[in-house]
Amino acid sequence: MMESEYVIGIDVGTGSVRGALVDRFGKICKFVSETSTTWNPRADFYLQSSDEIWSNCCQVIRVRK
């Protein structure tokens, strides 16, 4: 089995989706963050779009120069 030179870590939080490209030594080679929208239609009630979260995940995974 071949070892990968890099891994991608994704963190989905309340306000954003963050992604990091990390080499096999633990060095962060690239970090990207996309803001997520949160709606508060009434007290103590919050909504987020699963489509937007998925889109943000795809954005942070894409290769950027």
Side-chain angles (χ1 to χ4, degrees), residues 17 53-62 64:
V17 174
I53 291 169
W54 177 250
S55 176
N56 287 348
C57 287
C58 293
Q59 282 294 108
V60 302
I61 292 170
R62 284 194 176 105
R64 296 183 184 186

Side-chain angles (χ1 to χ4, degrees), residues 36-56:
S36 298
T37 306
T38 302
W39 295 275
N40 180 221
R42 64 179 187 261
D44 297 324
F45 189 84
Y46 299 92
L47 297 171
Q48 288 186 299
S49 165
S50 55
D51 288 336
E52 180 184 43
I53 291 169
W54 177 250
S55 176
N56 287 348

Side-chain angles (χ1 to χ4, degrees), residues 1-3 6 19 21 27-28 30 38 41-43 45 52:
M1 181 161 93
M2 235 170 115
E3 286 189 35
Y6 300 94
L21 178 67
K27 178 184 173 203
I28 296 174
K30 182 76 175 180
T38 302
R42 64 179 187 261
F45 189 84
E52 180 184 43

Side-chain angles (χ1 to χ4, degrees), residues 1 14 19 22 26-27 31 33-34 41:
M1 181 161 93
T14 307
V22 182
K27 178 184 173 203
F31 177 83
S33 180
E34 291 287 336

